[in-house]
Amino acid sequence: MVYVTLAGAILSEVLATTAMKYSDGFSRLWPSLGTAAGYLVAFALLAQTLKAMNIGTAYAIWAGAGTALVAAIGMIFMGESASALKILGLVLVVAGVVVLNLGGAH
């Protein structure tokens, strides 16, 4: 169940960050509210996750997966460049999370 909660935190953070892009510097109401709500849910779920998972493992997964997903969204849906070096960086982020997770989630 802890991984489901963490996945919810990651999804909420990714949605909040994507909404922030569309908020135009918080000058558009609905994307701005979506950003605030998304981060509120993300941090609440992350806090619940930390009850059962080590902080280093949880944060590495949360930050790494969120970073990789937001970068992929940028490249696939927002026209950001997708160079080999950028993709290598994403692979290294994911690899780092996997290595940190090998120590166990509890």
Side-chain angles (χ1 to χ4, degrees):
M1 189 64 176
V2 70
Y3 282 102
V4 173
T5 306
L6 182 56
I10 293 165
L11 179 61
S12 295
E13 185 265 336
V14 167
L15 292 173
T17 301
T18 303
M20 188 185 307
K21 171 69 174 169
Y22 291 108
S23 77
D24 197 26
F26 295 116
S27 65
R28 297 179 61 215
L29 178 63
W30 293 112
S32 298
L33 292 175
T35 299
Y39 279 120
L40 181 66
V41 170
F43 283 115
L45 291 173
L46 182 60
Q48 293 303 309
T49 300
L50 293 177
K51 290 179 177 181
M53 185 181 283
N54 292 331
I55 190 170
T57 302
Y59 193 76
I61 295 169
W62 183 68
T67 299
L69 287 170
V70 169
I73 288 169
M75 288 184 282
I76 295 167
F77 298 108
M78 297 181 179
E80 296 179 5
S81 67
S83 68
L85 194 57
K86 191 180 233 183
I87 293 169
L88 174 63
L90 291 175
V91 168
L92 290 172
V93 167
V94 172
V97 170
V98 169
V99 169
L100 283 171
N101 202 25
L102 290 176
H106 302 282

